Amino acid sequence: ASLLAALLESHHAAPGRAVAVSDLLRTAWPGERFQAKAGANRVYVALTTLRRMGLRELIARVDGGYAIDPNVALRITR
């Protein structure tokens, strides 16, 4: 949930701006230490899970990381 929240917050602040894999890792697993490959793999698995849950069209790979597709209209309510 925190990984998706990080992508949504970034989209709200600057649509299309990438969130680096390392930033997603720190956000989703705060305080945990990983080797670079293992941490990146954890992020990729989480993103794949979100895509399988129906968010495939929403999450885009962009230069520098991942973002919510800026062409997708979102309405975020809290």
Side-chain angles (χ1 to χ4, degrees), residues 7 43-62 65-67:
L7 291 170
V43 171
Y44 301 144
V45 169
L47 290 168
T48 297
T49 300
L50 289 172
R51 287 176 167 144
R52 287 183 181 158
M53 294 173 68
L55 301 177
R56 183 170 313 282
E57 302 301 318
L58 190 69
I59 300 171
R61 175 81 170 108
V62 296
Y66 290 85

